[in-house]
Amino acid sequence: MYILASNMNAFYGRGYGSGYYMFDWTYLLVLIGLALSLIASANVKNTFNHYAKIRSRSNLTGAMAAERVLHRAGIYDVSIQKVAGNLTDHYDPRSKTLRLSDSTYGTASIAAVCVAAHECGHAIQDQKQYGPLVLRSTLVPLANFGSSLSWPVFFAGLIFSIPPLLTAGIILFSLAVLFQLVTLPVEFNASSRALKVLEADGILGTEELAGGKKVLRAAALTYVAALASSILQLLRLIILAGGRRDRD
Ligand SMILES: [Zn+2]
């Protein structure tokens, strides 16, 4: 449920032609990506809100369910804490802390139990040193570096007509895209681990599991939308760079 804010940067839509302003049609790619992200985010909120109103038959809150899932996986060194905000739930591998939002921590609903179990899925991945999670952690600094420097470098390349800078900007942005690509297996795997334990341990019944799957699928789709949005922005950079090279 945790989205790196730095990867959500949308680039500005100014046209920069040869000395005059023109409509930059490639900005449409950014807008399409933005629309996809907004739809995915509205969808996860709606689905979560719906299943947050349905009480879990086990009467377990998110925090209680998380403890059970962790213990079942043999994990006793992860602490469960409350964090402010809505859908801010995440697992922090550095401090081995599971942070559950207000609406997850103390609520006994299908949504709360599933989100908490999903975050436990990340803790289990950490315990087992799940490959994509390890790779993703390694990529964090590179992705942050890439997404903050890509646009300034690319923009300088456009203004001063320096093709190597355009290429460097594209490569830097690709690092952020790569990070989001590696995020997908990590997220889908955490959810499937969560659902397996919830089912095997009888924390949720069959009907409840169907609802839980919807919540977790909606959450996973926000990562798919974020990746699609980044790929569209990357495509935009490639088109802009190609156009500039043709003009030079
Ligand atoms: Zn997750």
Side-chain angles (χ1 to χ4, degrees), residues 45-126:
K45 274 180 195 141
N46 284 339
T47 315
F48 183 89
N49 288 342
H50 176 73
Y51 287 98
K53 290 190 197 104
I54 304 177
R55 204 171 173 80
S56 56
R57 266 180 297 183
S58 62
N59 263 333
L60 291 175
T61 62
M64 286 151 74
E67 194 176 69
R68 260 178 78 162
V69 173
L70 289 177
H71 288 178
R72 196 185 154 87
I75 298 174
Y76 293 90
D77 60 346
V78 167
S79 63
I80 301 167
Q81 289 175 5
K82 210 181 196 181
V83 67
N86 193 18
L87 296 177
T88 45
D89 311 75
H90 64 277
Y91 169 69
D92 179 3
R94 285 160 302 175
S95 60
K96 295 212 177 289
T97 310
L98 201 82
R99 298 199 180 91
L100 301 178
S101 63
D102 295 330
S103 52
T104 306
Y105 191 93
T107 311
S109 71
I110 295 177
V113 166
C114 284
V115 168
H118 169 90
E119 300 309 330
C120 292
H122 288 308
I124 299 170
Q125 289 173 337
D126 184 30

Side-chain angles (χ1 to χ4, degrees), residues 1-2 118-119 122 186-187 190 223:
M1 292 282 187
Y2 199 55
H118 169 90
E119 300 309 330
H122 288 308
V186 175
E187 291 305 323
Y223 292 97

Side-chain angles (χ1 to χ4, degrees), residues 29-209:
L29 297 172
V30 178
L31 293 179
I32 294 169
L34 197 64
L36 288 175
S37 297
L38 288 174
I39 292 167
S41 151
N43 180 44
V44 72
K45 274 180 195 141
N46 284 339
T47 315
F48 183 89
N49 288 342
H50 176 73
Y51 287 98
K53 290 190 197 104
I54 304 177
R55 204 171 173 80
S56 56
R57 266 180 297 183
S58 62
N59 263 333
L60 291 175
T61 62
M64 286 151 74
E67 194 176 69
R68 260 178 78 162
V69 173
L70 289 177
H71 288 178
R72 196 185 154 87
I75 298 174
Y76 293 90
D77 60 346
V78 167
S79 63
I80 301 167
Q81 289 175 5
K82 210 181 196 181
V83 67
N86 193 18
L87 296 177
T88 45
D89 311 75
H90 64 277
Y91 169 69
D92 179 3
R94 285 160 302 175
S95 60
K96 295 212 177 289
T97 310
L98 201 82
R99 298 199 180 91
L100 301 178
S101 63
D102 295 330
S103 52
T104 306
Y105 191 93
T107 311
S109 71
I110 295 177
V113 166
C114 284
V115 168
H118 169 90
E119 300 309 330
C120 292
H122 288 308
I124 299 170
Q125 289 173 337
D126 184 30
Q127 179 208 35
K128 296 193 182 306
Q129 289 291 291
Y130 174 63
L133 182 77
V134 176
L135 179 60
R136 185 178 180 273
S137 307
T138 317
L139 285 173
V140 169
L142 277 176
N144 285 336
F145 175 75
S147 59
S148 52
L149 270 185
S150 59
W151 187 238
V153 168
F154 188 85
F155 197 63
L158 272 184
I159 293 177
F160 303 113
S161 291
I162 307 172
L165 282 184
L166 296 175
T167 308
I170 289 171
I171 292 170
L172 285 166
F173 194 78
S174 304
L175 293 173
V177 176
L178 180 65
F179 174 82
Q180 286 177 320
L181 186 67
V182 175
T183 296
L184 289 192
V186 175
E187 291 305 323
F188 280 96
N189 175 269
S191 287
S192 76
R193 284 179 199 267
L195 291 164
K196 248 181 231 160
V197 180
L198 292 176
E199 187 173 19
D201 220 24
I203 297 174
L204 290 184
T206 315
E207 275 173 44
E208 293 179 313
L209 272 174

Side-chain angles (χ1 to χ4, degrees), residues 211-234:
K213 273 182 195 160
K214 283 185 195 162
V215 173
L216 295 181
R217 199 182 304 133
L221 281 180
T222 61
Y223 292 97
V224 176
L227 173 66
S229 168
S230 291
I231 290 174
L232 288 170
Q233 289 184 42
L234 178 64

